[in-house]
Amino acid sequence: MKKAFTLLFLLVIFSSHSQNSESVFDPGEWLKFRMHYGFLNASYATLHVKSAVVDDVPVYHVVGRGETTGFASVFFKVDDTYESYFGKEDGKPYKFIRKINEGGYTKDIEINFDHKEEKAVLNDKKHNKKYNFELQDSIQDLISAFYYLRNNYEPSDLVIGEAVNLKMLYDDDGIFNFKLKYLGTEVLKTKFGKVECFKFRPLVQSGRVFKEQESLSLWVSADDNRIPVRIQANLSVGAIKADLDGYNGLKHQFKIIMD
Protein backbone atom coordinates (compact mmCIF):
# COMPACT_ATOMS: atom_id res chain seq x y z
CA MET A 1 0.00 0.00 0.00
CA LYS A 2 2.73 2.52 0.84
CA LYS A 3 4.05 2.73 -2.74
CA ALA A 4 0.54 3.24 -4.10
CA PHE A 5 -0.22 6.05 -1.65
CA THR A 6 3.11 7.74 -2.38
CA LEU A 7 2.67 7.51 -6.14
CA LEU A 8 -0.87 8.88 -6.10
CA PHE A 9 0.17 11.73 -3.83
CA LEU A 10 2.98 12.69 -6.19
CA LEU A 11 1.47 11.81 -9.57
CA VAL A 12 0.43 15.28 -10.51
CA ILE A 13 2.58 15.67 -13.59
CA PHE A 14 1.96 15.69 -17.34
CA SER A 15 3.75 16.26 -20.65
CA SER A 16 5.35 19.47 -21.91
CA HIS A 17 6.93 21.15 -24.90
CA SER A 18 7.37 24.92 -25.43
CA GLN A 19 7.67 27.37 -22.52
CA ASN A 20 4.95 29.87 -21.67
CA SER A 21 6.00 33.50 -21.13
CA GLU A 22 3.77 33.82 -18.06
CA SER A 23 3.17 31.41 -15.20
CA VAL A 24 -0.26 29.76 -15.07
CA PHE A 25 -0.18 29.83 -11.25
CA ASP A 26 0.62 32.35 -8.51
CA PRO A 27 1.70 32.18 -4.86
CA GLY A 28 -1.37 31.43 -2.77
CA GLU A 29 -2.65 28.61 -4.96
CA TRP A 30 -3.89 25.69 -2.85
CA LEU A 31 -5.11 22.30 -4.06
CA LYS A 32 -6.66 19.49 -2.02
CA PHE A 33 -7.11 15.87 -3.13
CA ARG A 34 -9.21 13.15 -1.49
CA MET A 35 -8.03 9.57 -1.92
CA HIS A 36 -10.21 6.48 -1.80
CA TYR A 37 -9.22 2.85 -1.39
CA GLY A 38 -12.27 0.71 -2.07
CA PHE A 39 -15.09 2.05 0.11
CA LEU A 40 -12.67 3.83 2.47
CA ASN A 41 -12.09 7.58 2.34
CA ALA A 42 -8.43 6.79 2.82
CA SER A 43 -6.46 10.04 2.92
CA TYR A 44 -6.03 13.65 1.88
CA ALA A 45 -3.19 15.46 0.11
CA THR A 46 -2.65 19.20 -0.31
CA LEU A 47 -0.30 21.39 -2.37
CA HIS A 48 0.29 25.02 -1.35
CA VAL A 49 2.34 27.56 -3.36
CA LYS A 50 4.34 30.22 -1.50
CA SER A 51 7.24 32.59 -2.30
CA ALA A 52 10.82 32.42 -1.01
CA VAL A 53 14.43 33.22 -1.90
CA VAL A 54 17.28 30.68 -2.25
CA ASP A 55 20.83 31.96 -2.81
CA ASP A 56 19.44 35.35 -3.87
CA VAL A 57 17.20 33.65 -6.46
CA PRO A 58 13.42 34.33 -6.24
CA VAL A 59 11.71 30.93 -6.02
CA TYR A 60 8.36 29.33 -5.52
CA HIS A 61 8.16 27.28 -2.33
CA VAL A 62 5.58 24.50 -2.60
CA VAL A 63 4.58 22.46 0.44
CA GLY A 64 2.84 19.14 -0.13
CA ARG A 65 1.18 17.25 2.72
CA GLY A 66 -0.47 13.85 2.75
CA GLU A 67 -2.11 11.94 5.59
CA THR A 68 -4.65 9.22 6.24
CA THR A 69 -7.80 10.09 8.14
CA GLY A 70 -10.64 8.39 9.98
CA PHE A 71 -11.12 4.64 9.80
CA ALA A 72 -8.32 4.14 7.27
CA SER A 73 -5.68 5.50 9.66
CA VAL A 74 -6.37 2.59 12.01
CA PHE A 75 -5.04 0.15 9.39
CA PHE A 76 -2.44 2.27 7.60
CA LYS A 77 -1.19 5.58 8.97
CA VAL A 78 0.38 8.05 6.52
CA ASP A 79 2.06 11.34 7.46
CA ASP A 80 4.03 12.73 4.51
CA THR A 81 5.60 16.14 3.86
CA TYR A 82 7.19 17.19 0.57
CA GLU A 83 8.74 20.60 -0.11
CA SER A 84 10.23 22.02 -3.28
CA TYR A 85 11.98 25.30 -4.02
CA PHE A 86 12.20 26.13 -7.74
CA GLY A 87 13.00 29.23 -9.78
CA LYS A 88 10.24 31.65 -10.69
CA GLU A 89 11.91 32.46 -14.01
CA ASP A 90 13.05 29.04 -15.28
CA GLY A 91 11.37 26.45 -13.04
CA LYS A 92 14.71 24.84 -12.09
CA PRO A 93 14.65 23.06 -8.71
CA TYR A 94 17.02 24.33 -6.01
CA LYS A 95 15.96 22.24 -3.02
CA PHE A 96 13.69 19.24 -2.46
CA ILE A 97 12.64 17.82 0.93
CA ARG A 98 10.91 14.49 1.47
CA LYS A 99 9.91 13.46 5.00
CA ILE A 100 7.51 10.53 5.10
CA ASN A 101 6.06 8.05 7.55
CA GLU A 102 3.85 5.45 5.86
CA GLY A 103 2.84 2.65 8.16
CA GLY A 104 6.23 2.79 9.90
CA TYR A 105 8.17 3.09 6.63
CA THR A 106 10.12 6.34 6.98
CA LYS A 107 12.38 8.53 4.85
CA ASP A 108 14.09 11.85 5.55
CA ILE A 109 15.75 13.18 2.40
CA GLU A 110 16.99 16.58 1.25
CA ILE A 111 18.34 17.28 -2.25
CA ASN A 112 20.25 20.46 -3.12
CA PHE A 113 20.61 21.27 -6.82
CA ASP A 114 23.71 23.22 -7.91
CA HIS A 115 23.05 24.31 -11.49
CA LYS A 116 26.37 26.15 -11.86
CA GLU A 117 28.32 23.00 -11.04
CA GLU A 118 25.67 20.83 -12.78
CA LYS A 119 25.33 18.47 -9.85
CA ALA A 120 22.87 17.54 -7.13
CA VAL A 121 23.70 16.38 -3.61
CA LEU A 122 21.20 14.06 -1.94
CA ASN A 123 21.39 13.90 1.85
CA ASP A 124 19.77 10.79 3.35
CA LYS A 125 19.41 12.07 6.91
CA LYS A 126 17.93 8.83 8.23
CA HIS A 127 21.00 6.79 7.26
CA ASN A 128 23.51 9.67 7.40
CA LYS A 129 24.59 9.16 3.78
CA LYS A 130 25.17 11.55 0.89
CA TYR A 131 24.95 10.86 -2.84
CA ASN A 132 26.15 12.98 -5.78
CA PHE A 133 24.36 13.07 -9.13
CA GLU A 134 25.17 14.84 -12.39
CA LEU A 135 22.31 17.01 -13.59
CA GLN A 136 20.78 15.92 -16.89
CA ASP A 137 18.69 18.00 -19.31
CA SER A 138 15.83 19.79 -17.52
CA ILE A 139 15.82 17.53 -14.49
CA GLN A 140 13.11 18.10 -11.89
CA ASP A 141 12.13 16.83 -8.48
CA LEU A 142 8.73 15.23 -8.02
CA ILE A 143 6.98 18.40 -6.89
CA SER A 144 8.71 20.97 -9.11
CA ALA A 145 7.92 18.77 -12.13
CA PHE A 146 4.19 19.40 -11.70
CA TYR A 147 4.55 23.18 -11.77
CA TYR A 148 7.30 23.23 -14.39
CA LEU A 149 5.18 21.23 -16.79
CA ARG A 150 2.07 23.30 -16.18
CA ASN A 151 4.08 26.22 -17.56
CA ASN A 152 5.74 24.27 -20.36
CA TYR A 153 3.27 22.59 -22.67
CA GLU A 154 0.82 23.63 -25.31
CA PRO A 155 -2.37 21.62 -25.83
CA SER A 156 -1.85 21.87 -29.59
CA ASP A 157 1.43 19.93 -29.22
CA LEU A 158 -0.24 16.90 -27.64
CA VAL A 159 -0.61 13.91 -29.98
CA ILE A 160 -2.86 10.99 -29.05
CA GLY A 161 -0.87 7.81 -28.45
CA GLU A 162 2.50 9.53 -28.17
CA ALA A 163 4.53 9.21 -24.97
CA VAL A 164 6.77 11.87 -23.45
CA ASN A 165 9.80 11.18 -21.23
CA LEU A 166 10.73 13.28 -18.22
CA LYS A 167 13.77 12.94 -15.94
CA MET A 168 13.29 13.31 -12.18
CA LEU A 169 15.44 12.95 -9.07
CA TYR A 170 13.74 12.35 -5.75
CA ASP A 171 15.47 9.39 -4.05
CA ASP A 172 18.83 7.63 -3.72
CA ASP A 173 17.72 5.24 -6.46
CA GLY A 174 18.99 7.91 -8.84
CA ILE A 175 17.55 9.72 -11.83
CA PHE A 176 14.14 8.37 -12.76
CA ASN A 177 12.84 8.21 -16.35
CA PHE A 178 9.12 8.89 -16.26
CA LYS A 179 7.08 8.11 -19.36
CA LEU A 180 3.63 9.55 -20.02
CA LYS A 181 1.22 8.76 -22.87
CA TYR A 182 -1.50 11.17 -24.03
CA LEU A 183 -4.92 9.56 -24.62
CA GLY A 184 -7.10 12.50 -25.65
CA THR A 185 -9.86 14.50 -23.91
CA GLU A 186 -12.65 13.33 -21.66
CA VAL A 187 -15.39 15.02 -19.62
CA LEU A 188 -15.45 13.98 -15.95
CA LYS A 189 -18.26 14.30 -13.44
CA THR A 190 -16.80 15.88 -10.30
CA LYS A 191 -18.13 17.38 -7.06
CA PHE A 192 -17.82 20.78 -8.78
CA GLY A 193 -19.71 19.73 -11.93
CA LYS A 194 -18.60 18.45 -15.33
CA VAL A 195 -14.99 19.27 -16.22
CA GLU A 196 -13.27 18.78 -19.58
CA CYS A 197 -9.89 17.09 -19.07
CA PHE A 198 -6.82 15.90 -20.90
CA LYS A 199 -6.30 12.21 -20.16
CA PHE A 200 -2.84 10.70 -19.71
CA ARG A 201 -1.50 7.23 -19.04
CA PRO A 202 1.66 7.14 -16.90
CA LEU A 203 3.62 3.96 -17.63
CA VAL A 204 4.62 2.20 -14.41
CA GLN A 205 6.36 -1.03 -13.49
CA SER A 206 3.94 -3.93 -13.22
CA GLY A 207 4.25 -6.49 -10.46
CA ARG A 208 3.91 -6.23 -6.71
CA VAL A 209 1.85 -3.03 -6.57
CA PHE A 210 0.23 -2.45 -9.96
CA LYS A 211 -1.58 -4.99 -12.11
CA GLU A 212 0.15 -4.02 -15.33
CA GLN A 213 2.31 -1.35 -16.92
CA GLU A 214 -0.67 0.81 -17.88
CA SER A 215 -2.62 0.57 -14.60
CA LEU A 216 -2.58 4.32 -13.92
CA SER A 217 -4.74 7.04 -15.46
CA LEU A 218 -4.43 10.80 -14.93
CA TRP A 219 -6.93 13.54 -15.86
CA VAL A 220 -5.81 17.20 -16.03
CA SER A 221 -8.16 20.16 -16.45
CA ALA A 222 -8.25 21.41 -20.04
CA ASP A 223 -8.45 25.05 -18.94
CA ASP A 224 -5.65 27.54 -18.34
CA ASN A 225 -5.02 26.20 -14.81
CA ARG A 226 -3.94 22.69 -15.93
CA ILE A 227 -4.55 21.10 -12.54
CA PRO A 228 -5.03 17.38 -11.78
CA VAL A 229 -8.71 16.49 -11.45
CA ARG A 230 -8.50 12.71 -10.99
CA ILE A 231 -5.89 9.97 -10.64
CA GLN A 232 -6.90 6.31 -10.72
CA ALA A 233 -4.86 3.13 -10.30
CA ASN A 234 -5.67 -0.57 -10.52
CA LEU A 235 -3.56 -2.32 -7.89
CA SER A 236 -2.66 -5.96 -7.51
CA VAL A 237 -5.35 -5.98 -4.81
CA GLY A 238 -8.21 -3.53 -5.34
CA ALA A 239 -8.11 -0.01 -6.78
CA ILE A 240 -7.31 3.45 -5.50
CA LYS A 241 -8.54 6.84 -6.70
CA ALA A 242 -7.68 10.46 -5.94
CA ASP A 243 -10.10 13.29 -6.78
CA LEU A 244 -9.70 17.06 -6.61
CA ASP A 245 -11.63 17.96 -3.45
CA GLY A 246 -10.91 21.65 -2.98
CA TYR A 247 -9.00 24.60 -4.42
CA ASN A 248 -8.21 28.22 -3.67
CA GLY A 249 -6.17 31.01 -5.23
CA LEU A 250 -6.30 29.74 -8.82
CA LYS A 251 -4.93 32.29 -11.27
CA HIS A 252 -7.59 31.46 -13.87
CA GLN A 253 -11.24 30.53 -13.67
CA PHE A 254 -11.84 26.81 -13.10
CA LYS A 255 -14.05 25.98 -16.04
CA ILE A 256 -17.18 23.93 -15.33
CA ILE A 257 -19.36 22.71 -18.19
CA MET A 258 -22.89 24.00 -17.74
CA ASP A 259 -25.67 21.76 -19.11
Side-chain angles (χ1 to χ4, degrees):
M1 284 288 292
K2 64 175 179 284
K3 286 190 176 181
F5 273 105
T6 299
L7 188 54
L8 283 184
F9 175 52
L10 295 168
L11 243 176
V12 284
I13 53 180
F14 43 94
S15 64
S16 67
H17 286 84
S18 59
Q19 177 148 358
N20 291 331
S21 59
E22 183 178 356
S23 176
V24 301
F25 58 88
D26 282 330
E29 181 186 84
W30 177 85
L31 303 175
K32 181 181 180 180
F33 302 89
R34 182 174 59 181
M35 302 183 187
H36 307 267
Y37 180 69
F39 66 91
L40 294 176
N41 181 19
S43 63
Y44 287 92
T46 59
L47 290 167
H48 188 194
V49 182
K50 307 176 183 180
S51 287
V53 176
V54 175
D55 297 331
D56 296 325
V57 177
V59 298
Y60 293 109
H61 175 204
V62 175
V63 179
R65 296 260 319 147
E67 60 182 343
T68 47
T69 59
F71 191 60
S73 62
V74 176
F75 298 97
F76 190 82
K77 188 172 180 61
V78 172
D79 186 5
D80 292 354
T81 298
Y82 295 83
E83 297 184 60
S84 178
Y85 298 78
F86 53 94
K88 288 188 174 182
E89 292 296 324
D90 55 19
K92 291 181 178 179
Y94 286 84
K95 181 185 290 187
F96 173 67
I97 297 170
R98 183 185 181 194
K99 298 182 70 172
I100 66 172
N101 187 338
E102 300 174 351
Y105 174 80
T106 62
K107 279 185 176 289
D108 188 356
I109 287 174
E110 180 177 312
I111 304 175
N112 288 284
F113 297 83
D114 187 335
H115 296 284
K116 291 183 179 179
E117 298 294 328
E118 296 187 342
K119 69 177 183 178
V121 178
L122 185 151
N123 185 3
D124 183 344
K125 297 181 179 180
K126 178 180 176 181
H127 298 102
N128 194 27
K129 293 182 179 180
K130 290 188 177 181
Y131 303 86
N132 295 311
F133 298 96
E134 291 185 5
L135 298 186
Q136 302 177 15
D137 303 326
S138 299
I139 196 167
Q140 298 289 321
D141 65 54
L142 278 168
I143 298 296
S144 70
F146 167 40
Y147 296 90
Y148 174 78
L149 295 175
R150 286 172 68 187
N151 277 337
N152 285 270
Y153 90 98
E154 294 294 336
S156 59
D157 290 336
L158 299 174
V159 178
I160 293 176
E162 285 195 3
V164 178
N165 293 309
L166 179 69
K167 293 185 182 296
M168 291 186 287
L169 176 62
Y170 66 94
D171 208 340
D172 56 17
D173 290 335
I175 295 172
F176 175 62
N177 291 307
F178 187 82
K179 184 176 290 187
L180 202 65
K181 183 164 66 174
Y182 175 57
L183 300 182
T185 60
E186 186 174 328
V187 175
L188 294 186
K189 291 183 179 179
T190 74
K191 64 176 290 185
F192 309 103
K194 294 181 180 179
V195 179
E196 183 180 13
C197 298
F198 298 120
K199 184 177 181 180
F200 297 90
R201 179 65 45 79
L203 303 180
V204 298
Q205 184 176 359
S206 60
R208 189 159 57 91
V209 176
F210 299 100
K211 282 186 175 181
E212 56 189 28
Q213 191 184 36
E214 299 194 12
S215 293
L216 276 165
S217 296
L218 167 67
W219 290 263
V220 176
S221 66
D223 58 15
D224 290 335
N225 295 300
R226 304 169 185 176
I227 56 176
V229 175
R230 178 171 297 164
I231 304 163
Q232 188 167 303
N234 294 318
L235 309 180
S236 298
V237 179
I240 191 168
K241 183 174 71 170
D243 283 318
L244 181 67
D245 191 65
Y247 60 88
N248 198 6
L250 296 182
K251 187 171 183 176
H252 305 280
Q253 182 180 1
F254 185 40
K255 291 187 177 180
I256 307 297
I257 298 175
M258 305 300 293
D259 291 329

